Amino acid sequence: MQLQILQDIDWHIEVRTNTGICVIASVTEWCRPRYPTLDVFKQAWPEELGSAICNRISERLERSHPHLVLRTDWAEGIPLSSLPQLKPQWLDLLNASGLNSLYAVVSLTPEELSETVKGFGIATARQVHAACMKTVKEWESEEKQKAA
């Protein structure tokens, strides 16, 4: 499974270093920036810059893709511990890796999840991701029914 990069936005975010390196951040369907992580960037990237980029993306998407911002905000507020379909041993490993919200799982690909969570192989990561995406799909269905 691949994350969907938004193709229908008429703006972009560019990050430049004072050493002449420039990266254009693509935007995912989960309102997250995607860009290559070069060693030069990793060494000098202030933590607050990532948050600032995410905030800017949400501000811009609020006008053109408010449903994605709403879904992202909702997913950020859903603790993984509230999802009964996640096995306790999965929750322990997710929490130990700092992943506590539904958003933290669904905004990653299963491959990224298996790399991030120590103790997860790709098969487990796919199971966990699918279980979390099922919750997202159920919420999206409920939201469509409310809007109708």
Side-chain angles (χ1 to χ4, degrees), residues 27-56:
V27 178
T28 73
E29 65 179 336
W30 285 101
C31 307
R32 281 187 63 183
R34 298 297 279 197
Y35 41 81
T37 51
L38 306 170
D39 285 338
V40 172
F41 269 33
K42 285 181 184 178
Q43 296 167 5
W45 193 273
E47 188 174 321
E48 59 274 2
L49 181 56
S51 297
I53 291 172
C54 286
N55 289 339
R56 184 68 175 141

Side-chain angles (χ1 to χ4, degrees), residues 12-101:
H12 70 275
I13 293 180
E14 188 173 300
V15 180
R16 295 176 183 237
T17 68
N18 57 6
T19 59
I21 297 172
C22 174
V23 170
I24 294 179
S26 296
V27 178
T28 73
E29 65 179 336
W30 285 101
C31 307
R32 281 187 63 183
R34 298 297 279 197
Y35 41 81
T37 51
L38 306 170
D39 285 338
V40 172
F41 269 33
K42 285 181 184 178
Q43 296 167 5
W45 193 273
E47 188 174 321
E48 59 274 2
L49 181 56
S51 297
I53 291 172
C54 286
N55 289 339
R56 184 68 175 141
I57 286 171
S58 289
E59 289 170 8
R60 298 294 304 263
L61 288 180
E62 186 65 48
R63 292 178 233 149
S64 62
H65 296 72
H67 61 289
L68 296 181
V69 176
L70 179 66
R71 182 181 68 172
T72 296
D73 289 346
W74 165 79
E76 286 175 337
I78 302 298
L80 290 175
S81 59
S82 71
L83 303 179
Q85 67 270 36
L86 296 182
K87 297 176 183 179
Q89 63 266 32
W90 292 349
L91 286 172
D92 291 343
L93 293 171
L94 288 161
N95 289 329
S97 297
L99 303 179
N100 303 308
S101 72

Side-chain angles (χ1 to χ4, degrees), residues 85 106 128-140:
Q85 67 270 36
V106 297
V128 169
H129 196 272
C132 290
M133 283 303 297
K134 183 177 181 214
T135 299
V136 171
K137 296 299 180 196
E138 290 168 355
W139 178 83
E140 287 175 329

Side-chain angles (χ1 to χ4, degrees), residues 70 74 138-148:
L70 179 66
W74 165 79
E138 290 168 355
W139 178 83
E140 287 175 329
S141 179
E142 289 173 11
E143 288 298 302
K144 284 181 184 176
Q145 288 177 355
K146 287 181 192 174

Side-chain angles (χ1 to χ4, degrees), residues 102-147:
L102 178 61
Y103 173 81
V105 172
V106 297
S107 66
L108 299 174
T109 65
E111 293 77 16
E112 291 170 325
L113 193 57
S114 71
E115 293 169 8
T116 303
V117 180
K118 186 176 180 178
F120 270 22
I122 189 64
T124 302
R126 286 182 178 140
Q127 285 180 295
V128 169
H129 196 272
C132 290
M133 283 303 297
K134 183 177 181 214
T135 299
V136 171
K137 296 299 180 196
E138 290 168 355
W139 178 83
E140 287 175 329
S141 179
E142 289 173 11
E143 288 298 302
K144 284 181 184 176
Q145 288 177 355
K146 287 181 192 174

